[in-house]
Amino acid sequence: MSAPSTENLATRLRQVRLAKRVDTAPKPPVTWHVIKVALTVPTIAWLAIAVVVLIVKLAAGDGFSGIGAVTAAGWLAVNQTALMIGGVTIGVLPLVPTLLVGYGTYRVVKRATAESGSFNELLSIAGTAVAGPLLATALALAVVADGASASAIGNPNALAAFGTTILVHGVAAMCGLLPRVVQPFLEEFAIPASDRVGARGGAAAFAVLIVGGALAVFFGYLTHFGAIGDLIADGNTFDGYLGLTGLSILYLPNMVIGAAAMTVGASATFGGTVLDSFSTFAGAMPPLPVAGVVPTSDLGAAGALMFAAPIAAGILLGWYTRSDNVKAHFRAIGVGAALASGLMVVVTAVSGGTLGEIGKVGVSIPVAGVFTFTSVGVTAALVAGVLWLVGRRGTPVQVEVDGSDEAELDEPFFDEDDDFEQIAESDVEVDELDVEDEFAEEDAEEAEGASPSAPADDK
């Protein structure tokens, strides 16, 4: 019987290696894993809401009646769906529960995609993480509709409920996917370094604005500590004190966002009260302790301190995006200011709304966006001009072209990690040939080691 040829052995070894690679390749998530991604956040949220509702009802002496409808309404409120209670529309909903639920979706998606290999698998996990809350929203709408006749909770807008659920959990799921998809996305579409650095600078500038709003709320709390105490005292009992304090904590991010919008020059409305950084027109206010931080008189010269936030944000953006190329520098500033403005528009839209008979609560969304772009962008542009006047710019990028060094090319001075490596097509072909040669040599070596010694020729 003739000995097996080297080519046949190499083919068989190649098939074995390919089979091992297929076995070790990442597999799509199993059914139980998909169920966990879809239902973990809704299940935990419903249980937490049910516990809170049960405690409140027992403290108020209402018993267990209507607990299902109230729990379902709580899930809708967590997803920023406007509710109608006793004929009064509650459109301004606290952001703390929404942030907690969104963070839960973010963590679930990030953990589930940690070992995912394909883009389709990443999208399927993100879609599953949104589909689960949508199913919970559909169940909540059915429960609220079933108990509408026995409770004061009216039927909310179903389309709006599904839309806000997709918004909350969709954004959270996309944030969970960012660590896996952002770098391939940048490489695929060749996003310029100026745009990427500008986006990071814009996110940092927006964070500075939020910090400025938080400081404004904190100083308002210190200034109106007595008024806040009087509003808490309206609770009359310990349960009332606890409830008003808890609601104030839940609405605290709403107040911070409103104050952040005021720092860029927008005016805020709280029922009958309209105010900006300098003037205040007092009127009816929501009976919540957190509303006590709102000034009841003009701030005057002290209100000018609020503009320190956009100035600091603009300085940060202008310094972070510094470059030897003036066009790249201003392009990055424009991208950063646009991103900060877009984020401000989103958060002001979510944090405001209608509060029953009190009226509108929040900030004018277009004004907040335009003022954010203008204040941050103009300040950053002034910083760029100062940097050019004093000569504090980046070091010129040295690029070797045809064996010679050419300085001060049109390359932005950003982090070295942000620069794309330009690879010629010939280099790619050479690399592929080298890989094929190495693979062929590996097959030959394995075949030579595995083949038996050839028999001696018969004489």
Side-chain angles (χ1 to χ4, degrees), residues 234-269:
D234 291 340
N236 297 324
T237 62
F238 176 78
D239 298 338
Y241 305 151
L242 184 62
L244 289 175
T245 303
L247 277 177
S248 297
I249 294 174
L250 295 180
Y251 275 104
L252 195 57
N254 302 65
M255 300 296 295
V256 170
I257 291 172
M262 288 178 58
T263 62
V264 299
S267 60
T269 302

Side-chain angles (χ1 to χ4, degrees), residues 275-365:
L275 70 156
D276 54 28
S277 299
F278 294 104
S279 60
T280 301
F281 300 93
M285 289 287 294
L288 285 177
V290 71
V293 303
V294 178
T296 56
S297 60
D298 296 346
L299 294 177
L305 295 176
M306 299 186 69
F307 292 106
I311 292 174
I315 292 174
L316 174 63
L317 178 60
W319 175 260
Y320 184 78
T321 57
R322 64 192 184 278
S323 170
D324 275 334
N325 187 333
V326 63
K327 292 182 179 179
H329 194 176
F330 279 94
R331 177 189 177 106
I333 288 175
V335 172
L339 179 63
S341 175
L343 292 175
M344 183 63 73
V345 167
V346 172
V347 295
T348 51
V350 175
S351 63
T354 303
L355 190 59
E357 298 178 354
I358 295 176
K360 179 178 174 56
V361 174
V363 181
S364 174
I365 298 172

Side-chain angles (χ1 to χ4, degrees), residues 47-408:
L47 290 176
I49 295 170
V51 170
V52 172
V53 170
L54 180 61
I55 293 174
V56 172
K57 278 186 163 293
L58 291 178
D62 289 343
F64 298 98
S65 61
I67 188 173
V70 177
T71 302
W75 167 259
L76 297 175
V78 166
N79 287 277
Q80 295 295 309
T81 301
L83 299 175
M84 183 175 293
I85 302 176
V88 177
T89 301
I90 308 297
V92 184
L93 299 167
L95 285 176
V96 169
T98 305
L99 294 175
L100 291 176
V101 169
Y103 179 75
T105 301
Y106 160 78
R107 290 294 301 173
V108 167
V109 172
K110 185 177 181 180
R111 181 174 299 180
T113 57
E115 299 180 357
S116 300
S118 65
F119 185 70
N120 290 334
E121 186 176 348
L122 295 176
L123 289 182
S124 64
I125 292 174
T128 302
V130 177
L134 283 176
L135 180 62
T137 297
L139 177 62
L141 291 172
V143 173
V144 170
D146 182 66
S149 58
S151 66
I153 302 174
N155 292 325
N157 188 320
L159 185 60
F162 288 121
T164 54
T165 302
I166 292 174
L167 176 64
V168 171
H169 297 276
V171 171
M174 291 303 298
C175 291
L177 288 181
L178 283 181
R180 299 300 310 276
V181 302
V182 64
Q183 191 60 36
F185 175 83
L186 295 176
E187 294 176 356
E188 177 69 21
F189 295 97
I191 305 299
S194 58
D195 293 352
R196 289 179 281 142
V197 175
R200 290 199 295 267
F206 174 74
V208 171
L209 295 178
I210 295 298
V211 171
L215 291 175
V217 172
F218 176 72
F219 284 112
Y221 172 80
L222 295 180
T223 305
H224 302 91
F225 183 79
I228 294 173
D230 294 338
L231 289 172
I232 294 177
D234 291 340
N236 297 324
T237 62
F238 176 78
D239 298 338
Y241 305 151
L242 184 62
L244 289 175
T245 303
L247 277 177
S248 297
I249 294 174
L250 295 180
Y251 275 104
L252 195 57
N254 302 65
M255 300 296 295
V256 170
I257 291 172
M262 288 178 58
T263 62
V264 299
S267 60
T269 302
F270 293 89
T273 300
V274 180
L275 70 156
D276 54 28
S277 299
F278 294 104
S279 60
T280 301
F281 300 93
M285 289 287 294
L288 285 177
V290 71
V293 303
V294 178
T296 56
S297 60
D298 296 346
L299 294 177
L305 295 176
M306 299 186 69
F307 292 106
I311 292 174
I315 292 174
L316 174 63
L317 178 60
W319 175 260
Y320 184 78
T321 57
R322 64 192 184 278
S323 170
D324 275 334
N325 187 333
V326 63
K327 292 182 179 179
H329 194 176
F330 279 94
R331 177 189 177 106
I333 288 175
V335 172
L339 179 63
S341 175
L343 292 175
M344 183 63 73
V345 167
V346 172
V347 295
T348 51
V350 175
S351 63
T354 303
L355 190 59
E357 298 178 354
I358 295 176
K360 179 178 174 56
V361 174
V363 181
S364 174
I365 298 172
V367 172
V370 172
F371 282 14
T372 299
F373 181 86
T374 303
S375 59
V376 175
V378 169
T379 305
L382 292 176
V383 171
V386 171
L387 290 176
W388 273 83
L389 288 176
V390 301
R392 293 296 301 274
R393 306 187 298 274
T395 304
V397 178
Q398 300 290 339
V399 181
E400 185 175 350
V401 181
D402 297 333
S404 62
D405 292 339
E406 294 187 5
E408 298 184 359

